[in-house]
Amino acid sequence: MRKRVKSVSADNGIYILKTKDQYRVAHLRAIDNVFWSYAGDSRKRTVVSQNRLVPTRVVEMWGGCKFTRSREKALKIAYRWAGRLPVCEYGVKIVSYNKKWKDILKDAKEYARKESEFIKGHGNEK
């Protein structure tokens, strides 16, 4: 009798954030969360847009990473990292954000206030 093996998704990848002025490399899971916001639907987080990155999520995901200004160096780091993982389901991907990092930080601060106000306004809900 054959033993059934349960399929498990790693839901991970090495993602390079490409901005106007730098590259940041991170090993991330659930990359689709970069499109989610706490502001919107009071019952759950909502997708803002599949084409619009949420700046607060971008800073959460890549803010602690070192940066490089070299695409080649970012790719080298990413592929080396991916090669060392036991599973890298989505491989190496580049996520483009057409702003400078300092502008993304500024947007994230403003958007975080919006999310915080929304959460405070809906504090009685689960």
Side-chain angles (χ1 to χ4, degrees), residues 36-62:
W36 289 79
S37 173
Y38 290 96
D41 187 332
S42 62
R43 295 178 302 272
K44 61 184 181 205
R45 295 185 305 167
T46 57
V47 173
V48 174
S49 165
Q50 286 299 328
N51 297 322
R52 184 169 160 253
L53 302 173
V54 176
T56 48
R57 300 299 85 74
V58 170
V59 172
E60 287 171 358
M61 294 175 168
W62 285 279

Short mmCIF file of all heavy atoms in Angstrom, two decimals, residues 36-62:
data_model
loop_
_atom_site.label_atom_id
_atom_site.label_comp_id
_atom_site.label_asym_id
_atom_site.label_seq_id
_atom_site.Cartn_x
_atom_site.Cartn_y
_atom_site.Cartn_z
N TRP A 36 -2.37 44.30 0.11
CA TRP A 36 -3.42 44.35 1.13
C TRP A 36 -3.29 45.58 2.02
O TRP A 36 -2.20 46.04 2.29
CB TRP A 36 -3.36 43.10 2.00
CG TRP A 36 -3.80 41.87 1.29
CD1 TRP A 36 -3.06 41.15 0.41
CD2 TRP A 36 -5.06 41.24 1.37
NE1 TRP A 36 -3.79 40.09 -0.05
CE2 TRP A 36 -5.03 40.12 0.52
CE3 TRP A 36 -6.23 41.50 2.08
CZ2 TRP A 36 -6.10 39.26 0.37
CZ3 TRP A 36 -7.29 40.65 1.93
CH2 TRP A 36 -7.23 39.54 1.08
N SER A 37 -4.45 46.02 2.49
CA SER A 37 -4.47 47.16 3.39
C SER A 37 -5.44 46.89 4.53
O SER A 37 -6.42 46.17 4.36
CB SER A 37 -4.92 48.41 2.64
OG SER A 37 -5.09 49.48 3.53
N TYR A 38 -5.15 47.49 5.67
CA TYR A 38 -6.06 47.39 6.81
C TYR A 38 -7.19 48.41 6.69
O TYR A 38 -8.17 48.34 7.41
CB TYR A 38 -5.31 47.60 8.12
CG TYR A 38 -4.39 46.46 8.42
CD1 TYR A 38 -3.05 46.52 8.09
CD2 TYR A 38 -4.88 45.30 9.01
CE1 TYR A 38 -2.21 45.45 8.35
CE2 TYR A 38 -4.04 44.23 9.27
CZ TYR A 38 -2.70 44.31 8.94
OH TYR A 38 -1.87 43.25 9.18
N ALA A 39 -7.07 49.35 5.82
CA ALA A 39 -8.12 50.36 5.62
C ALA A 39 -9.06 49.87 4.52
O ALA A 39 -8.63 49.35 3.51
CB ALA A 39 -7.50 51.69 5.21
N GLY A 40 -10.33 50.02 4.74
CA GLY A 40 -11.30 49.60 3.72
C GLY A 40 -12.43 48.83 4.36
O GLY A 40 -13.27 49.40 5.02
N ASP A 41 -12.45 47.53 4.20
CA ASP A 41 -13.51 46.68 4.73
C ASP A 41 -13.25 46.46 6.22
O ASP A 41 -12.21 45.99 6.62
CB ASP A 41 -13.52 45.34 4.00
CG ASP A 41 -14.69 44.48 4.37
OD1 ASP A 41 -15.20 44.59 5.50
OD2 ASP A 41 -15.12 43.67 3.52
N SER A 42 -14.23 46.77 7.03
CA SER A 42 -14.04 46.69 8.48
C SER A 42 -13.99 45.25 9.01
O SER A 42 -13.58 45.03 10.12
CB SER A 42 -15.16 47.45 9.20
OG SER A 42 -16.42 46.85 8.89
N ARG A 43 -14.40 44.28 8.23
CA ARG A 43 -14.40 42.89 8.68
C ARG A 43 -13.09 42.17 8.38
O ARG A 43 -12.81 41.14 8.95
CB ARG A 43 -15.56 42.13 8.04
CG ARG A 43 -16.92 42.66 8.49
CD ARG A 43 -18.03 41.92 7.78
NE ARG A 43 -17.92 42.03 6.33
CZ ARG A 43 -18.44 43.00 5.60
NH1 ARG A 43 -19.10 43.96 6.18
NH2 ARG A 43 -18.30 43.02 4.29
N LYS A 44 -12.33 42.68 7.45
CA LYS A 44 -11.09 42.00 7.06
C LYS A 44 -10.20 42.98 6.32
O LYS A 44 -10.62 44.06 5.92
CB LYS A 44 -11.41 40.81 6.16
CG LYS A 44 -12.09 41.23 4.87
CD LYS A 44 -12.47 40.04 4.04
CE LYS A 44 -13.12 40.59 2.77
NZ LYS A 44 -13.98 39.83 2.08
N ARG A 45 -8.98 42.56 6.12
CA ARG A 45 -8.09 43.37 5.28
C ARG A 45 -8.62 43.27 3.86
O ARG A 45 -9.21 42.28 3.47
CB ARG A 45 -6.67 42.84 5.35
CG ARG A 45 -6.06 42.98 6.70
CD ARG A 45 -4.63 42.58 6.72
NE ARG A 45 -4.44 41.24 6.21
CZ ARG A 45 -3.27 40.73 5.89
NH1 ARG A 45 -2.19 41.45 6.00
NH2 ARG A 45 -3.15 39.51 5.45
N THR A 46 -8.38 44.26 3.07
CA THR A 46 -8.89 44.24 1.72
C THR A 46 -7.77 44.47 0.71
O THR A 46 -6.79 45.13 0.99
CB THR A 46 -9.96 45.33 1.51
OG1 THR A 46 -9.39 46.59 1.82
CG2 THR A 46 -11.16 45.10 2.38
N VAL A 47 -7.97 43.91 -0.47
CA VAL A 47 -7.03 44.13 -1.55
C VAL A 47 -7.26 45.53 -2.07
O VAL A 47 -8.38 45.90 -2.43
CB VAL A 47 -7.23 43.11 -2.69
CG1 VAL A 47 -6.36 43.46 -3.88
CG2 VAL A 47 -6.93 41.71 -2.20
N VAL A 48 -6.22 46.34 -2.09
CA VAL A 48 -6.33 47.69 -2.64
C VAL A 48 -6.38 47.58 -4.15
O VAL A 48 -7.26 48.13 -4.80
CB VAL A 48 -5.15 48.57 -2.19
CG1 VAL A 48 -5.18 49.92 -2.87
CG2 VAL A 48 -5.18 48.75 -0.68
N SER A 49 -5.44 46.89 -4.72
CA SER A 49 -5.38 46.69 -6.17
C SER A 49 -4.26 45.71 -6.47
O SER A 49 -3.22 45.74 -5.84
CB SER A 49 -5.09 48.02 -6.88
OG SER A 49 -4.69 47.79 -8.20
N GLN A 50 -4.48 44.85 -7.43
CA GLN A 50 -3.43 43.91 -7.81
C GLN A 50 -2.29 44.63 -8.53
O GLN A 50 -1.25 44.07 -8.75
CB GLN A 50 -4.00 42.80 -8.69
CG GLN A 50 -4.83 41.81 -7.92
CD GLN A 50 -4.05 41.08 -6.83
OE1 GLN A 50 -2.86 40.81 -6.95
NE2 GLN A 50 -4.70 40.77 -5.74
N ASN A 51 -2.49 45.88 -8.90
CA ASN A 51 -1.46 46.64 -9.61
C ASN A 51 -0.84 47.74 -8.76
O ASN A 51 0.02 48.46 -9.23
CB ASN A 51 -2.04 47.24 -10.89
CG ASN A 51 -2.50 46.18 -11.85
OD1 ASN A 51 -1.86 45.15 -11.99
ND2 ASN A 51 -3.62 46.41 -12.49
N ARG A 52 -1.31 47.91 -7.55
CA ARG A 52 -0.83 49.00 -6.71
C ARG A 52 -0.26 48.44 -5.41
O ARG A 52 -0.98 47.86 -4.60
CB ARG A 52 -1.97 49.96 -6.41
CG ARG A 52 -1.52 51.16 -5.62
CD ARG A 52 -2.60 52.22 -5.56
NE ARG A 52 -2.29 53.08 -4.45
CZ ARG A 52 -2.95 53.08 -3.30
NH1 ARG A 52 -3.98 52.30 -3.13
NH2 ARG A 52 -2.60 53.88 -2.33
N LEU A 53 1.02 48.64 -5.23
CA LEU A 53 1.67 48.20 -4.01
C LEU A 53 1.26 49.12 -2.87
O LEU A 53 1.18 50.33 -3.04
CB LEU A 53 3.18 48.22 -4.17
CG LEU A 53 3.75 47.38 -5.32
CD1 LEU A 53 5.24 47.64 -5.47
CD2 LEU A 53 3.49 45.91 -5.09
N VAL A 54 1.02 48.56 -1.70
CA VAL A 54 0.68 49.34 -0.51
C VAL A 54 1.99 49.72 0.17
O VAL A 54 2.76 48.84 0.56
CB VAL A 54 -0.24 48.55 0.43
CG1 VAL A 54 -0.51 49.32 1.71
CG2 VAL A 54 -1.55 48.20 -0.27
N PRO A 55 2.28 51.01 0.29
CA PRO A 55 3.59 51.42 0.80
C PRO A 55 3.93 50.89 2.18
O PRO A 55 5.10 50.58 2.46
CB PRO A 55 3.54 52.95 0.76
CG PRO A 55 2.12 53.31 0.64
CD PRO A 55 1.43 52.16 -0.01
N THR A 56 2.94 50.76 3.06
CA THR A 56 3.24 50.24 4.40
C THR A 56 3.69 48.79 4.32
O THR A 56 4.58 48.36 5.06
CB THR A 56 2.03 50.37 5.35
OG1 THR A 56 0.86 49.88 4.69
CG2 THR A 56 1.81 51.80 5.78
N ARG A 57 3.09 48.00 3.44
CA ARG A 57 3.51 46.60 3.28
C ARG A 57 4.90 46.53 2.65
O ARG A 57 5.70 45.67 3.01
CB ARG A 57 2.54 45.81 2.40
CG ARG A 57 1.09 45.70 2.86
CD ARG A 57 0.87 45.02 4.18
NE ARG A 57 1.01 45.91 5.31
CZ ARG A 57 0.10 46.84 5.66
NH1 ARG A 57 -1.00 47.03 4.99
NH2 ARG A 57 0.32 47.61 6.72
N VAL A 58 5.20 47.43 1.71
CA VAL A 58 6.52 47.46 1.08
C VAL A 58 7.60 47.69 2.13
O VAL A 58 8.61 46.99 2.18
CB VAL A 58 6.59 48.53 -0.03
CG1 VAL A 58 8.01 48.74 -0.53
CG2 VAL A 58 5.68 48.14 -1.20
N VAL A 59 7.36 48.65 3.02
CA VAL A 59 8.34 48.94 4.07
C VAL A 59 8.42 47.78 5.06
O VAL A 59 9.51 47.42 5.52
CB VAL A 59 8.02 50.28 4.78
CG1 VAL A 59 8.92 50.50 5.98
CG2 VAL A 59 8.16 51.43 3.78
N GLU A 60 7.29 47.15 5.39
CA GLU A 60 7.32 45.99 6.27
C GLU A 60 8.15 44.86 5.67
O GLU A 60 8.90 44.19 6.37
CB GLU A 60 5.90 45.46 6.52
CG GLU A 60 5.07 46.33 7.43
CD GLU A 60 3.61 45.90 7.48
OE1 GLU A 60 3.22 44.93 6.78
OE2 GLU A 60 2.84 46.53 8.21
N MET A 61 8.03 44.65 4.37
CA MET A 61 8.67 43.51 3.73
C MET A 61 10.14 43.76 3.38
O MET A 61 10.96 42.85 3.50
CB MET A 61 7.91 43.13 2.46
CG MET A 61 6.52 42.59 2.74
SD MET A 61 5.63 42.28 1.22
CE MET A 61 4.24 41.34 1.83
N TRP A 62 10.48 44.97 2.94
CA TRP A 62 11.84 45.24 2.49
C TRP A 62 12.59 46.29 3.33
O TRP A 62 13.76 46.51 3.11
CB TRP A 62 11.84 45.72 1.03
CG TRP A 62 11.59 44.64 0.03
CD1 TRP A 62 12.50 43.74 -0.45
CD2 TRP A 62 10.36 44.35 -0.62
NE1 TRP A 62 11.91 42.91 -1.37
CE2 TRP A 62 10.58 43.26 -1.49
CE3 TRP A 62 9.08 44.89 -0.56
CZ2 TRP A 62 9.58 42.73 -2.29
CZ3 TRP A 62 8.08 44.36 -1.36
CH2 TRP A 62 8.34 43.28 -2.20
#
